[in-house]
């Protein structure tokens, strides 16, 4: 698990358009790197739409938003279009990014166990260091937590 003040683990994965995206390409900007379980589910939609509605405020603070889930680029594209999400969604189908950030864990729902992303957020500073880590965030509280740190 990366800790605050460490350099954020770098990675390259596909964005919602199927293009390579590398985290370190954003050095010089703050990054809100949020991990979520699945596109177009109630909690994930609430979280994404709250961020969408505050994108201008977040960008005014010098930050960009990146959402990461195990969904495919095609799923991300549909999710972005359906909810007019103006920020980048990253595909982590092999969950390597989630494992790098230690957010890939066993979960259970309706008595079934499965592996998936925790709803965790990392705020990364312009120098690439982790400024703040929010574990297991509640979608309704997520935006306020992020804005308080930026």
């Amino acid at each position: 698990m990366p800790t605050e003040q460490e350099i954020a683990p770098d990675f390259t994965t596909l964005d919602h358009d199927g293009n390579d995206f590398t985290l370190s390409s954003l050095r010089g900007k703050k990054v809100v790197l949020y991990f979520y379980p699945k596109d177009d589910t109630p909690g994930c939609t609430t979280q994404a739409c709250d961020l969408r509605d505050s994108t201008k405020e977040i960008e005014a603070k010098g930050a960009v938003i990146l959402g990461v889930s195990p969904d495919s680029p095609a799923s991300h594209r549909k999710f972005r279009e359906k909810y007019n999400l103006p920020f980048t969604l990253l595909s982590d189908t092999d969950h390597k990014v989630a494992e790098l950030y230690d957010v890939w864990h066993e979960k259970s729902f309706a008595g079934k166990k499965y592996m998936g992303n925790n709803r965790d957020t990392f705020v990364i500073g312009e120098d690439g260091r982790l400024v703040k880590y929010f574990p297991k965030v509640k979608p309704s509280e997520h935006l306020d937590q992020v804005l308080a740190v930026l």
Side-chain angles (χ1 to χ4, degrees):
M1 160 74 64
T3 59
E4 292 175 9
Q5 298 311 311
E6 286 183 355
I7 296 291
D10 199 17
F11 60 83
T12 299
T13 193
L14 297 178
D15 69 10
H16 53 266
D17 288 326
N19 298 315
D20 281 344
F21 179 91
T22 301
L23 178 65
S24 60
S25 70
L26 295 176
R27 281 284 162 83
K29 296 182 180 188
K30 297 175 197 166
V31 177
V32 176
L33 180 67
Y34 83 99
F35 290 85
Y36 65 99
K38 187 163 178 50
D39 288 341
D40 210 7
T41 56
C44 297
T45 300
T46 296
Q47 188 176 19
C49 289
D50 282 352
L51 289 166
R52 173 201 64 202
D53 295 346
S54 295
T55 297
K56 285 189 184 357
E57 183 177 358
I58 291 167
E59 289 175 345
K61 294 175 182 281
V64 297
I65 303 164
L66 301 174
V68 184
S69 83
D71 296 296
S72 68
S75 175
H76 282 334
R77 213 169 21 260
K78 264 178 78 173
F79 186 46
R80 284 183 83 242
E81 289 170 5
K82 183 174 181 179
Y83 294 101
N84 297 310
L85 303 177
F87 48 84
T88 301
L89 296 179
L90 300 174
S91 180
D92 188 28
T93 56
D94 58 7
H95 49 83
K96 287 183 180 177
V97 178
E99 288 177 1
L100 252 179
Y101 282 81
D102 195 28
V103 303
W104 186 254
H105 292 276
E106 184 176 81
K107 306 171 123 222
S108 66
F109 182 74
K112 294 183 180 179
K113 293 187 185 274
Y114 62 97
M115 296 299 289
N117 277 1
N118 280 347
R119 191 180 305 278
D120 292 356
T121 296
F122 297 83
V123 178
I124 302 168
E126 294 97 334
D127 61 357
R129 293 187 182 279
L130 293 172
V131 174
K132 188 69 178 169
Y133 165 57
F134 297 105
K136 298 183 182 176
V137 297
K138 295 181 180 169
S140 61
E141 298 171 3
H142 183 243
L143 178 62
D144 290 338
Q145 291 172 317
V146 167
L147 289 174
V149 170
L150 293 176

